[in-house]
Structures are given as structure tokens and as C-alpha cells.
């Protein structure tokens, strides 16, 4: 399992603190059980937010960038083909060969 990134850690921590504070203010609970339930809910919400932050490409296990395939290297546009044909027509026509 990859380690959490700085963004995941900061978003998750901020979510836990702010949601716990907001839920405690809005619920008005004073019992230890109610506070524990609010804190558990805040922690679960923080974990969900941290997991929702996208990972960098290298941490997701994606393939490394490779050289373009043979099809991509040989792909030519119509303009490239027409330009090459025009150059072939003028082979041998040099100013010194007159």
C-alpha cells in the first residue's frame, strides 16, 4: 500500500478537525458517548476525503512512459506525403546541372 501524499494527509487532517468541530457545535452533545461518536464520524469522513484525493501517476502503478510505437513513429500526414512527393520530382534538378 503506498504511503499517503502530503495532499492526502493535509486534506484528511483538515476534514477531521473541521468536521468534528462543526458536528460538536451543531449537535450540542455533552456526553462522552456522543463526543466519541462525533469524533469517530469525523475520522471516517477524513479518511474518505483523503482517499478521494487523486494519487500522482507514479504512485498509482501506471506504466512508465515508453518510446512511441512503430505505428506512431511512421504516422505521416497528407501534407508530409505530398511534400515528399514534390521533393522526389525535383531530384536531379540542380542549378549546376543545366
Amino acid at each position: 500500500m503506498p504511503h499517503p501524499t502530503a495532499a492526502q494527509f493535509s486534506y484528511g487532517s483538515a476534514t477531521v478537525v473541521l468536521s468534528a468541530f462543526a458536528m460538536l457545535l451543531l449537535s450540542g452533545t455533552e456526553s462522552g458517548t456522543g463526543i466519541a461518536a462525533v469524533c469517530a464520524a469525523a475520522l471516517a469522513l477524513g479518511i474518505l476525503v483523503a482517499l478521494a484525493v487523486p494519487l500522482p501517476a507514479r504512485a498509482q502503478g501506471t506504466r512508465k512512459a515508453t518510446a512511441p510505437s512503430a505505428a506512431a513513429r511512421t504516422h505521416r500526414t497528407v501534407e508530409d506525403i505530398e511534400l515528399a512527393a514534390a521533393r522526389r520530382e525535383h531530384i536531379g534538378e540542380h542549378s549546376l546541372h543545366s
Side-chain angles (χ1 to χ4, degrees):
M1 183 170 149
H3 295 285
T5 62
Q8 288 176 315
F9 186 74
S10 60
Y11 281 130
S13 298
T15 301
V16 169
V17 170
L18 294 175
S19 63
F21 183 69
M23 285 190 279
L24 285 172
L25 283 178
L26 292 174
S27 68
T29 187
E30 296 179 5
S31 68
T33 307
I35 293 172
V38 165
C39 290
L43 183 61
L45 184 62
I47 291 172
L48 287 175
V49 168
L51 292 176
V53 174
L55 291 173
R58 61 183 163 82
Q60 290 179 348
T62 57
R63 293 187 310 158
K64 293 181 180 178
T66 58
S69 65
R73 285 192 308 265
T74 59
H75 176 74
R76 298 189 317 177
T77 63
V78 173
E79 292 82 17
D80 293 337
I81 295 170
E82 290 173 351
L83 183 61
R87 286 181 184 158
R88 278 193 296 269
E89 291 174 2
H90 298 292
I91 293 177
E93 294 179 14
H94 193 275
S95 60
L96 298 178
H97 293 132
S98 307

